[in-house]
Amino acid sequence: MSTHHSTAVEQVGRLYVSHHGWLVGWLRGKLGSDCDATDIAQDTFVRLLGRRVEQDLREPRSYLATIAQGLVVDFFRHRRLERAYLDTIATLPEEHIPSPETRAILLETLCRIDAMLDGMKPIVRRAFLMSQLEGLTYVEIAARLDVTKRTVGNYMTTALAHCYTLAA
């Protein structure tokens, strides 16, 4: 283990000892659940392990809350997506309902796609979805979005580069 990595782990450890209880309480107030609050607090500190943390944070709770808030947003987005997915499955005939294992894989895939699409500008996402889901040509997309075919090409290049970067 490198000295830098060891120091970073020690810093996160100190933050954990000093602020974990506070963070769980803060998250409990937002989520209304001890289990979810504990999970997201843990994810917050795990995320810190992958970052370069300043030696002396002036506002450690604010820093932790900012990271945790992003995780809370992801948590609720995941919940909404899961609810919509389960509602859709509930409308299927019994013989078409996927197994629990397949459902878990499909839900994970949907969440990854959702996160990938969320990182795109709305106009780029819209063009990408028109192309990928509706099968529209660049000319058709350009007409619907009131832009040039070249602009649609730029949107698609941006969208595909974004997807490729996240997948890599």
Side-chain angles (χ1 to χ4, degrees), residues 18 46 67-68 72 78 82 90 95 98 120 127 131 144 150 153 155:
S18 300
V46 168
I67 295 168
V72 168
H78 177 85
E82 182 177 23
E95 65 271 9
M120 294 180 192
S131 170
R144 284 198 186 178
R150 181 180 179 144
Y155 291 161

Side-chain angles (χ1 to χ4, degrees), residues 35-105:
C35 291
D36 293 337
T38 301
D39 286 347
I40 291 179
Q42 195 68 26
D43 290 347
T44 300
F45 287 101
V46 168
R47 185 149 304 174
L48 279 178
L49 290 171
R51 293 187 177 182
R52 183 167 173 82
V53 180
E54 290 182 29
Q55 191 71 352
D56 293 316
L57 289 172
R58 291 197 321 231
E59 300 290 334
R61 289 185 174 182
S62 177
Y63 185 69
L64 292 170
T66 299
I67 295 168
Q69 183 60 40
L71 293 170
V72 168
V73 168
D74 291 346
F75 173 81
F76 283 120
R77 184 194 296 97
H78 177 85
R79 277 262 171 96
R80 280 192 307 274
L81 187 59
E82 182 177 23
R83 194 171 305 118
Y85 175 66
L86 293 174
D87 289 348
T88 300
I89 287 177
T91 66
L92 294 175
E94 189 172 333
E95 65 271 9
H96 294 297
I97 294 176
S99 70
E101 297 83 10
T102 301
R103 279 188 273 184
I105 291 167

